[in-house]
Amino acid sequence: MAAANGTPPTVYPSLLYADAHAAIKQLTEAFGFTVVSVHEGADGRVAHAELAHGNGAVMLGSKGRGGRFAQAMSGAGPSGTYVVVDDIDAHHRRAVEQGARIVTPPTDQDYGSRDYLTQDTEGNLWSFGTYAPAIGG
């Protein structure tokens, strides 16, 4: 996984889920992510997972496992993550077929993007669209 200039991404959204296994299932089956790694603790809960999409990735784990990150996230609200996809309508159809909760259907934006907004199994917002910010390079 690398950016257009060959370097790996430098920003990775990190999320904690009450049911990380269900989140991984939805992110892969409904939203097209690919599992890079899943590390479980002795209790079978997800200690750390990495899922890729294009040249980006998200890291996630199970809530309640302790540690500084979990402590800091305990009072946080849902997160929002934006993911660039080529065919927004096909992506949306797949999400709907997998039962994803759609907040906003595919919509053409005045700045040239076509996108939709959905929620994962625990209320985090995921925006999928065609707009790719011009960064770096």
Side-chain angles (χ1 to χ4, degrees), residues 3 7-12 55 135:
T7 60
T10 59
V11 177
Y12 298 88
N55 66 352
I135 57 173

Side-chain angles (χ1 to χ4, degrees), residues 16-77:
L16 294 178
Y17 290 92
D19 188 344
H21 288 292
I24 291 167
K25 182 177 181 350
Q26 183 185 44
L27 290 169
T28 57
E29 294 179 7
F31 301 151
F33 280 77
T34 301
V35 173
V36 174
S37 65
V38 176
H39 305 278
E40 295 180 343
D43 60 1
R45 295 173 45 202
V46 177
H48 177 80
E50 297 174 8
L51 281 68
H53 193 288
N55 66 352
V58 63
M59 296 185 288
L60 62 94
S62 297
K63 285 182 178 177
R65 296 196 42 82
R68 289 234 186 245
F69 185 75
Q71 211 171 27
M73 288 288 288
S74 67

Side-chain angles (χ1 to χ4, degrees), residues 29-135:
E29 294 179 7
F31 301 151
F33 280 77
T34 301
V35 173
V36 174
S37 65
V38 176
H39 305 278
E40 295 180 343
D43 60 1
R45 295 173 45 202
V46 177
H48 177 80
E50 297 174 8
L51 281 68
H53 193 288
N55 66 352
V58 63
M59 296 185 288
L60 62 94
S62 297
K63 285 182 178 177
R65 296 196 42 82
R68 289 234 186 245
F69 185 75
Q71 211 171 27
M73 288 288 288
S74 67
S79 159
T81 302
Y82 180 82
V83 180
V84 177
V85 296
D86 291 328
D87 186 341
I88 198 68
D89 295 298
H91 193 275
H92 174 260
R93 276 191 301 279
R94 175 181 177 165
V96 169
E97 288 167 2
Q98 292 296 319
R101 181 179 179 276
I102 305 301
V103 176
T104 305
T107 305
D108 293 324
Q109 303 298 332
D110 58 1
Y111 51 89
S113 183
R114 181 163 176 77
D115 53 42
Y116 76 97
L117 182 63
T118 184
Q119 283 184 302
D120 67 20
T121 57
E122 296 190 18
N124 296 296
L125 295 173
W126 290 83
S127 299
F128 294 94
T130 58
Y131 172 74
I135 57 173

